[in-house]
C-alpha cells in the first residue's frame, strides 16, 4: 500500500462532501415511498420505545434488518428531538454515510496509487449523482456504501500485503469482518456479496492465493454472529418465521426471480443508464476503467478494481428487479480508477477498437444526460410549478459547466483543478435544485400541504386524520402515526359517528356520494381546505377536500 492522506486533504474532501451532500436535507419534504417508510418506522420506534420490532403503523416492516433504524433513532436521541425529530435529523445518517464512503474511497485509492489519486477519487465519489441522491434521503444505501468501501479497503490491504502474517494483517482482518457484520445489520448480505465476488474473482485470476489465509474466516463468522445474532434471535422470537419469510423469501429472493414493484428490467439496464448514475464522470470514469482493464494482468491494484466492479455489475444485470441504487456499491471502483488515470502521467488511454467505440458511446451518453439534466429544472417549473425561476436557469448553467469540464475539452486543465471545478459546479447545481427549485414546486408536495392544513385546523389536539384517495406513507409521517389511510366507506363511518374531533379528507368528486350516505352528519362539518396537485409516485392528479368538526 503506497501512500497516506494528510489531515489537510481529509478536511478539504470533508468540505466538498458537505457542499455536495448536505444542502437540501432540511428543505426537501419526506419523499415517497421508500424514504417515508423508513422515517415512519423509526419514528414509531421512538414513540413506542420498542427498538426490536419494526412496524409501519400496525403492519410489520421486515424487508431490511434493524441497523438503519437504530442509526436514525440514535440521531434523534443525540440531538434531543426524539419522536419529534424533523426529517433533517433522520437524513443526517445518510449524509454521514456518504461522507464516510467518499473519505474511505480516498484512503483506498491513496493506498493503491498514491495520495494525489486518492484525493481525486474521493472528490469524484463525493460528486457522482448516484451517491448525491442517496446521501440526501433517509434510507439504507448511503450507510451501506460506507460499510462496503471500508470492507473493500481492508480486503484490498489483505490482498496487496499478500501472505504477510503480522499483527497488522490480523488487525486488518478484524476490521474487515467488523464492517462485514455492520453491513449485514444495515442491509443484509449485500456487503458479503460484493466482497465475496471480489475475492472469488481474485482467486480465479491471480495465481498467488496465499493472501486468502490471512482473512481468518473463523474470526469472521464469530464477529458477524456477535454483531447480528442478538437482534436476529430477538426478532425471530417476537415474529416467529414472519421476519425470515418477508426479508429472505419475499424481499431478497423475490427480487432475484421477479421484478418487484414495477421495477423489472432486462439485462442491460445499468449499461444503458450508466451515464446518468455516474454523472458528471461518465466519460472520464469509463476511460479510466478501460485503462485499468488493460493493466489487469500486470498490476495487482488494477486487478482488484476490475474484480470489484465487473462481477458485481454482471450479477445485478442478471437480477430481475433493478433500481438505480443497486449499482452504487461498485461506483467507488470507478472513482478510484479515475483518480489513478488523472494523477499518473504514465497512464494510457484505451486504444483497442471496441474500447474506442465504448468511449464514443460514453461521450454521447454524457452529452445527452448533461443536456437533459440542464433543461429538467426549467421544464419542471414550467410544467408543474408556477413558472421558470432564476434558480432553475442557474441550476442548468451549473450542470452544463460541470458536464463540459468533465468532457475531453477539460483535458487541458490540471487534474486537481479540473475535478475540484467539477465538484464546485455540481455542488451549486445540487444545492439550487434541492433548496430552491424542487421545494418551490408546491403541487408535488401533497403530504406537506395536507399536513399543514390538518395542523392549523385540528378541532382538538388529539384529532387524527381519516383520508381516502391518497395513500402515501409521507402523509403518515407528516400528519401523525394515527393517520388512517382508508377507503370511502371508512370516511363515511367516521363522519356518521358524529365525533367532535373529526378531521377527514377525500377526493372532491366523491362529495355528493358522501353527503348522500351521511345525511345531516356532513352538515356538522366545515371545509378546512382543499389540496390539488400531482402525486409523483403514481403520476395521477389529486384533488382533495379536507373537512373538520366545527
Amino acid at each position: 500500500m503506497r501512500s497516506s492522506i494528510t489531515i489537510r486533504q481529509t478536511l478539504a474532501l470533508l468540505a466538498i462532501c458537505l457542499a455536495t451532500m448536505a444542502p437540501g436535507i432540511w428543505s426537501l419534504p419526506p419523499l415517497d415511498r421508500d424514504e417515508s417508510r423508513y422515517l415512519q418506522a423509526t419514528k414509531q420506534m421512538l414513540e413506542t420505545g420498542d427498538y426490536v420490532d419494526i412496524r409501519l403503523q400496525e403492519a410489520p416492516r421486515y424487508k431490511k434488518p434493524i441497523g438503519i433504524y437504530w442509526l436514525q433513532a440514535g440521531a434523534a436521541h443525540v440531538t434531543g428531538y426524539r419522536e419529534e425529530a424533523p426529517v433533517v435529523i433522520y437524513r443526517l445518517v445518510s449524509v454521514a454515510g456518504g461522507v464516510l464512503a467518499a473519505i474511505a474511497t480516498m484512503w483506498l485509492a491513496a493506498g493503491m496509487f498514491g495520495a494525489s489519486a486518492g484525493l481525486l477519487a474521493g472528490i469524484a465519489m463525493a460528486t457522482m449523482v448516484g451517491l448525491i441522491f442517496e446521501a440526501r434521503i433517509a434510507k439504507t444505501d448511503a450507510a451501506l456504501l460506507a460499510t462496503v468501501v471500508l470492507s473493500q479497503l481492508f480486503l484490498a490491504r489483505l490482498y496487496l500485503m499478500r501472505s504477510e502474517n503480522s499483527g497488522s494483517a490480523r488487525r486488518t482482518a478484524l476490521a474487515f469482518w467488523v464492517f462485514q457484520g455492520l453491513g449485514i445489520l444495515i442491509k443484509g448480505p449485500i456487503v458479503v456479496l460484493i466482497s465475496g465476488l471480489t475475492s472469488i474473482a481474485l482467486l480465479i485470476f491471480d495465481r498467488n492465493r496465499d493472501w486468502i489465509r490471512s482473512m481468518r474466516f473463523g474470526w469472521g463468522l464469530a464477529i458477524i454472529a456477535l454483531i447480528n445474532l442478538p437482534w436476529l434471535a430477538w426478532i425471530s422470537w417476537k415474529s416467529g418465521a414472519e421476519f425470515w419469510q418477508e426479508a429472505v423469501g419475499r424481499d431478497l429472493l423475490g427480487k432475484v426471480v421477479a421484478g418487484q414493484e414495477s421495477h423489472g428490467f432486462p439485462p442491460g439496464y445499468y449499461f444503458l443508464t450508466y451515464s446518468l448514475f455516474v454523472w458528471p464522470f461518465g466519460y472520464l470514469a469509463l476511460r479510466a476503467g478501460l485503462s485499468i482493464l488493460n493493466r489487469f494482468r500486470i498490476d495487482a491494484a488494477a486487478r482488484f478494481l476490475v474484480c470489484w466492479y465487473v462481477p458485481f455489475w454482471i450479477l445485478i444485470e442478471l437480477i430481475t428487479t433493478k433500481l438505480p441504487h443497486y449499482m452504487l456499491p461498485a461506483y467507488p471502483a470507478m472513482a478510484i480508477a479515475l483518480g489513478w488515470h488523472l494523477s499518473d502521467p504514465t497512464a494510457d488511454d484505451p486504444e483497442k477498437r471496441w474500447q474506442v467505440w465504448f468511449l464514443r458511446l460514453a461521450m454521447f451518453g454524457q452529452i445527452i444526460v448533461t443536456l437533459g439534466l440542464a433543461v429538467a429544472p426549467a421544464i419542471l417549473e414550467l410544467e408543474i410549478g408556477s413558472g421558470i425561476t432564476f434558480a432553475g436557469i442557474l441550476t442548468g448553467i451549473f450542470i452544463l459547466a460541470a458536464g463540459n469540464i468533465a468532457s475531453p475539452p477539460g483535458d487541458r486543465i490540471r487534474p486537481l483543478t479540473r475535478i475540484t471545478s467539477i465538484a464546485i459546479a455540481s455542488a451549486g447545481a445540487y444545492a439550487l435544485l434541492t433548496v430552491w427549485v424542487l421545494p418551490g414546486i408546491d403541487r408535488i408536495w401533497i403530504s406537506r400541504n395536507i399536513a399543514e392544513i390538518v395542523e392549523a385546523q385540528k378541532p382538538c389536539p388529539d384529532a387524527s386524520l381519516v383520508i381516502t384517495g391518497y395513500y402515501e406513507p409521507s402523509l403518515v409521517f407528516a400528519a401523525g402515526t394515527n393517520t388512517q389511510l382508508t377507503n370511502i366507506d371508512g370516511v363515511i363511518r367516521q363522519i356518521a359517528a358524529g365525533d367532535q374531533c373529526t378531521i377527514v379528507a377525500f377526493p372532491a368528486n366523491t362529495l355528493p356520494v358522501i353527503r348522500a350516505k351521511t345525511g345531516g352528519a356532513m352538515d356538522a362539518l366545515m371545509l378546512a381546505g382543499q389540496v390539488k396537485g400531482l402525486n409523483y409516485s403514481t403520476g395521477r392528479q389529486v384533488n382533495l377536500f379536507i373537512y373538520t368538526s366545527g
Side-chain angles (χ1 to χ4, degrees):
M1 305 296 280
R2 299 190 185 180
S3 180
S4 59
I5 291 291
T6 66
I7 295 177
R8 182 178 178 181
Q9 290 170 322
T10 302
L11 292 176
L13 179 57
L14 175 61
I16 290 173
C17 287
L18 294 178
T20 57
M21 300 178 194
I25 62 172
W26 62 86
S27 54
L28 278 176
L31 302 180
D32 287 308
R33 295 179 173 138
D34 276 356
E35 181 187 37
S36 292
R37 289 167 177 159
Y38 284 105
L39 291 171
Q40 181 57 32
T42 304
K43 181 181 180 181
Q44 287 180 218
M45 284 185 175
L46 295 161
E47 290 173 338
T48 63
D50 186 345
Y51 295 95
V52 176
D53 200 8
I54 310 168
R55 295 270 159 178
L56 183 60
Q57 293 191 298
E58 297 302 318
R61 179 163 169 77
Y62 295 150
K63 291 180 179 293
K64 299 293 183 291
I66 198 71
I68 193 65
Y69 303 99
W70 282 351
L71 290 172
Q72 292 176 355
H77 274 285
V78 167
T79 56
Y81 285 99
R82 300 180 183 270
E83 65 270 17
E84 301 298 325
V87 65
V88 61
I89 300 301
Y90 298 92
R91 287 172 173 165
L92 290 175
V93 173
S94 292
V95 173
V99 170
L100 184 55
I103 290 175
T105 299
M106 176 178 67
W107 290 338
L108 178 49
M112 287 181 163
F113 302 113
S116 296
L119 184 57
L120 293 172
I123 296 172
M125 194 67 226
T127 310
M128 287 184 183
V129 160
L131 178 56
I132 293 305
F133 178 77
E134 295 299 333
R136 274 181 166 81
I137 57 177
K139 289 171 59 231
T140 56
D141 296 284
L144 172 70
L145 183 64
T147 66
V148 167
V149 182
L150 286 165
S151 291
Q152 295 293 86
L153 167 66
F154 293 111
L155 179 62
R157 287 181 178 176
L158 291 172
Y159 172 66
L160 297 175
M161 285 189 299
R162 298 295 179 169
S163 60
E164 183 179 336
N165 188 21
S166 62
S168 175
R170 287 191 292 272
R171 290 190 294 272
T172 301
L174 174 64
F176 169 79
W177 290 112
V178 167
F179 286 109
Q180 291 281 292
L182 293 174
I184 293 171
L185 196 63
I186 290 172
K187 201 173 181 175
I190 302 301
V191 64
V192 177
L193 178 66
I194 294 162
S195 296
L197 287 172
T198 305
S199 300
I200 291 170
L202 289 171
L203 289 173
I204 292 172
F205 293 107
D206 193 329
R207 293 181 181 180
N208 187 337
R209 300 171 183 175
D210 293 338
W211 63 274
I212 200 71
R213 300 171 188 167
S214 62
M215 292 186 68
R216 294 169 171 79
F217 288 95
W219 284 18
L221 292 175
I223 291 169
I224 289 174
L226 183 65
I227 293 172
N228 287 274
L229 277 184
W231 177 77
L232 288 173
W234 204 341
I235 193 63
S236 298
W237 176 74
K238 293 195 72 170
S239 70
E242 189 174 1
F243 169 76
W244 297 100
Q245 290 170 349
E246 178 66 26
V248 179
R250 283 188 284 271
D251 188 59
L252 180 61
L253 297 181
K255 288 176 178 176
V256 174
V257 300
Q260 292 188 350
E261 301 177 16
S262 303
H263 297 304
F265 294 96
Y269 171 83
Y270 296 104
F271 174 79
L272 294 174
T273 56
Y274 161 84
S275 294
L276 173 61
F277 300 154
V278 301
W279 187 90
F281 298 111
Y283 172 79
L284 287 177
L286 184 62
R287 187 172 74 178
L290 293 173
S291 297
I292 282 285
L293 185 62
N294 292 338
R295 297 188 173 218
F296 177 78
R297 295 189 180 279
I298 62 173
D299 189 309
R303 189 157 47 248
F304 184 89
L305 295 180
V306 174
C307 291
W308 177 353
Y309 188 93
V310 175
F312 182 71
W313 169 47
I314 293 172
L315 179 66
I316 64 169
E317 287 283 19
L318 296 176
I319 293 174
T320 305
T321 300
K322 292 180 173 65
L323 288 167
H325 59 266
Y326 285 4
M327 194 64 191
L328 183 60
Y331 292 159
M334 294 295 278
I336 293 169
L338 188 155
W340 160 76
H341 193 267
L342 290 180
S343 65
D344 190 341
T346 67
D348 297 321
D349 284 342
E351 296 179 351
K352 298 176 183 178
R353 180 175 297 180
W354 69 270
Q355 293 179 336
V356 172
W357 277 105
F358 265 63
L359 279 180
R360 290 174 180 174
L361 285 174
M363 192 64 254
F364 175 75
Q366 177 148 328
I367 292 171
I368 295 300
V369 169
T370 299
L371 292 175
L373 292 175
V375 301
I379 291 175
L380 285 173
E381 290 179 327
L382 186 63
E383 293 295 322
I384 58 177
S386 55
I388 298 175
T389 65
F390 177 73
I393 295 172
L394 191 56
T395 301
I397 293 172
F398 276 127
I399 290 171
L400 289 173
N404 182 61
I405 300 170
S407 299
D411 289 344
R412 297 185 297 270
I413 306 173
R414 291 178 58 190
L416 184 57
T417 303
R418 184 181 190 184
I419 294 297
T420 304
S421 300
I422 293 169
I424 292 171
S426 300
Y430 299 142
L432 288 166
L433 187 66
T434 56
V435 177
W436 283 282
V437 176
L438 290 177
I441 304 176
D442 195 60
R443 292 184 64 245
I444 63 175
W445 307 117
I446 297 170
S447 295
R448 178 185 69 182
N449 298 338
I450 294 173
E452 288 175 353
I453 294 174
V454 168
E455 183 62 30
Q457 302 292 336
K458 270 187 178 181
C460 46
D462 58 349
S464 59
L465 173 66
V466 179
I467 184 170
T468 187
Y470 182 74
Y471 306 104
E472 300 304 332
S474 59
L475 180 60
V476 180
F477 180 79
T481 301
N482 293 328
T483 299
Q484 297 179 44
L485 309 179
T486 184
N487 53 26
I488 192 169
D489 292 333
V491 169
I492 289 171
R493 286 193 297 270
Q494 179 68 24
I495 295 172
D499 190 339
Q500 294 302 306
C501 287
T502 294
I503 181 164
V504 295
F506 49 82
N509 61 6
T510 64
L511 180 59
V513 175
I514 292 175
R515 281 194 180 278
K517 292 191 175 183
T518 57
M522 189 69 195
D523 296 331
L525 303 181
M526 69 174 188
L527 180 64
Q530 183 177 8
V531 173
K532 294 181 179 181
L534 173 69
N535 184 346
Y536 56 83
S537 295
T538 63
R540 297 176 182 173
Q541 297 292 328
V542 173
N543 183 9
L544 299 168
F545 284 151
I546 303 174
Y547 278 83
T548 68
S549 301

